[in-house]
Amino acid sequence: MEQHFKDILNNNKDAVYRICRAYAADEEQVKDIFQEVMLNVWRALPGFKQQSAVNTWVYRIALNVCMRAKYNTDKHKVTVRLDSIQWSSAAIADNSSSPEYKELYACIATLNETDKSLILLFLEDLSYKEISSVTGLTENHVAVKIKRIKSKLFTCLKQNGYDG
Amino acid sequence: MTDEELKNIWHKTAAPAIVNADEATLNKEMADKLSVFDRGIRNRDIRENISAAFVMIVFAIIFFKVEPVMARVAAMLIVLWAAFTIVVTMATRRHRVSDTSLPLSEYLLKSRDYIIKEKQLLDNILWWYILPAWIGISLFGFGYSNWITIAGGTIMGVLIYMLNKYAANKYMAPLLEQINTEIDNLLEK
């Protein structure tokens, strides 16, 4: 299990970070949510039945934890801080300074939380089938919604002056 | 702009390799912190019920010490009431959604069920918490013809009722509305 967890962390850390970042109010909260996601992955790992791909399973946990953090649905929540996960503050600053990313991020921030979750999975390059597995919606439903959300996103990017 | 261009922006700019896990200590820490986390949950549940447990012990002692029959009946009622509040709060906490690996739609629906149950606890606090306690305290006061106890119990009951109504309206109702909106957004075709 230990090696499996390390592999999951190494293979999914960037994607999980990107998702957390889209939901967090600030960099501190990104770190907190990321650590909470990883703790939940560790906790749920013994029960992981490999009925879905491991990355879609991790995305489920990431989205649910992000949603919980966003709405604070568990007001009696217990939090812990992991010391063995180190962060490079320089890298965070560099990567968030790209103007294209800022535009995209600003437009994603205008979406409601569930639209945001769907488009994040799409941007992470998940297939409709995988998005369906993460969200519990049918593939057709996912396809319809993604089309609609993309249209909103492109309109927003255009309005903000980014034509690509 | 194409889908691929959009994905490229997302992947190129969104923080690659910013996390460095110290693998030697990571697994040990995960196991340790999970244990801390579980202990935290257990302690939180104990803290929530500690006042009720304290009331149970005090009034159980009072039951054996006092003379007036009415006061003894009241002490017994208060012990039963305190036990009942522990059962009610623990039954509600059992609906807390701890499985974060559920599909998002299922997770949201279960979270809503939990919030509804929490809100019901606050909305109905008069019937399951305040009134039974007030009856017990008032009977106890009658047993000793102590009107100050009855008046104090009444004032306390009104305060608890108002605070809980405030919490239900200020926090739980908007939260429930937000979750309902997100569920509607997710499930709408």
Side-chain angles (χ1 to χ4, degrees):
Chain A
M1 182 179 124
E2 292 178 0
Q3 188 55 49
H4 196 186
F5 178 72
K6 279 181 199 168
D7 292 344
I8 290 173
L9 177 62
N10 287 329
N11 295 336
N12 294 280
K13 60 188 180 184
D14 296 334
V16 169
Y17 180 84
R18 283 192 288 264
I19 290 174
C20 294
R21 192 148 191 265
Y23 279 91
D26 52 44
E27 284 300 336
E28 273 308 300
Q29 200 188 8
V30 180
K31 294 174 194 172
D32 290 344
I33 301 176
F34 181 93
Q35 297 199 347
E36 204 181 331
V37 170
M38 286 306 155
L39 198 66
N40 275 274
V41 168
W42 174 271
R43 172 191 276 282
L45 197 52
F48 176 54
K49 294 185 181 70
Q50 314 229 339
Q51 285 164 337
S52 56
V54 71
N55 68 325
T56 57
W57 179 77
V58 171
Y59 286 130
R60 274 186 190 179
I61 294 176
L63 282 182
N64 289 335
V65 170
C66 288
M67 207 60 102
R68 186 167 70 187
K70 183 82 190 174
Y71 288 121
N72 194 19
T73 51
D74 187 358
K75 60 187 165 65
H76 307 283
K77 188 165 67 79
V78 173
T79 51
V80 292
R81 182 57 67 95
L82 300 168
D83 300 322
S84 55
I85 292 180
Q86 302 294 322
W87 301 82
S88 159
S89 55
I92 292 169
D94 287 345
N95 287 313
S96 59
S97 60
S98 147
E100 299 98 337
Y101 179 74
K102 279 184 176 172
E103 291 294 344
L104 180 57
Y105 186 83
C107 286
I108 289 171
T110 64
L111 300 171
N112 66 51
E113 303 307 328
T114 50
D115 281 358
K116 193 188 284 180
S117 64
L118 286 165
I119 202 68
L120 294 181
L121 297 173
F122 171 79
L123 291 172
E124 287 298 334
D125 223 9
L126 268 69
S127 66
Y128 289 164
K129 190 178 176 187
E130 288 170 318
I131 297 174
S132 157
S133 162
V134 174
T135 57
L137 303 178
T138 63
E139 273 184 71
N140 277 345
H141 196 169
V142 168
V144 170
K145 289 187 81 76
I146 293 279
K147 192 178 173 194
R148 202 177 299 151
I149 301 164
K150 268 194 307 188
S151 164
K152 282 187 203 170
L153 208 55
F154 285 134
T155 307
C156 174
L157 285 167
K158 215 171 243 179
Q159 280 172 351
N160 289 357
Y162 186 79
D163 296 330
Chain B
M1 187 189 288
T2 66
D3 290 355
E4 287 313 308
E5 285 171 322
L6 207 58
K7 287 178 185 176
N8 283 341
I9 295 171
W10 180 251
H11 281 268
K12 194 170 59 182
T13 55
I18 52 103
V19 183
N20 294 312
D22 172 4
E23 295 192 355
T25 54
L26 180 64
N27 286 305
K28 187 182 178 312
E29 194 190 10
M30 291 305 274
D32 289 350
K33 286 290 164 72
L34 197 58
S35 145
V36 169
F37 182 82
D38 287 341
R39 209 166 44 238
I41 298 265
R42 202 169 50 243
N43 290 343
R44 177 196 61 196
D45 290 345
I46 291 170
R47 267 199 313 276
E48 281 181 358
N49 290 320
I50 209 157
S51 54
F54 178 73
V55 167
M56 279 176 76
I57 293 166
V58 168
F59 278 89
I61 293 167
I62 288 172
F63 174 79
F64 290 107
K65 297 271 185 194
V66 294
E67 290 291 322
V69 176
M70 203 178 279
R72 294 191 79 186
V73 170
M76 180 49 73
L77 281 177
I78 291 172
V79 169
L80 291 174
W81 161 79
F84 179 65
T85 63
I86 292 175
V87 172
V88 169
T89 50
M90 284 176 73
T92 304
R93 298 290 173 265
R94 263 199 289 277
H95 288 89
R96 187 184 284 131
V97 193
S98 55
D99 183 3
T100 48
S101 64
L102 293 169
L104 181 63
S105 54
E106 201 179 329
Y107 185 82
L108 286 174
L109 289 168
K110 288 197 169 182
S111 296
R112 178 173 67 181
D113 288 347
Y114 173 61
I115 294 163
I116 287 172
K117 287 201 165 32
E118 283 253 344
K119 188 170 179 297
Q120 279 172 344
L121 265 193
L122 299 180
D123 284 338
N124 298 326
I125 195 140
L126 179 66
W127 308 108
W128 69 272
Y129 191 89
I130 296 171
L131 205 58
W134 181 80
I135 290 169
I137 291 167
S138 298
L139 276 180
F140 197 80
F142 275 124
Y144 286 102
S145 301
N146 185 342
W147 300 104
I148 294 172
T149 304
I150 299 168
T154 306
I155 291 167
M156 188 70 91
V158 170
L159 277 175
I160 292 172
Y161 179 78
M162 286 168 67
L163 283 173
N164 280 276
K165 276 286 170 194
Y166 176 78
N169 294 330
K170 174 91 176 169
Y171 303 108
M172 301 308 280
L175 180 60
L176 188 58
E177 200 179 312
Q178 284 173 330
I179 292 286
N180 273 329
T181 306
E182 291 305 339
I183 290 170
D184 290 346
N185 286 337
L186 185 67
L187 300 181
E188 78 169 353
K189 296 261 179 181

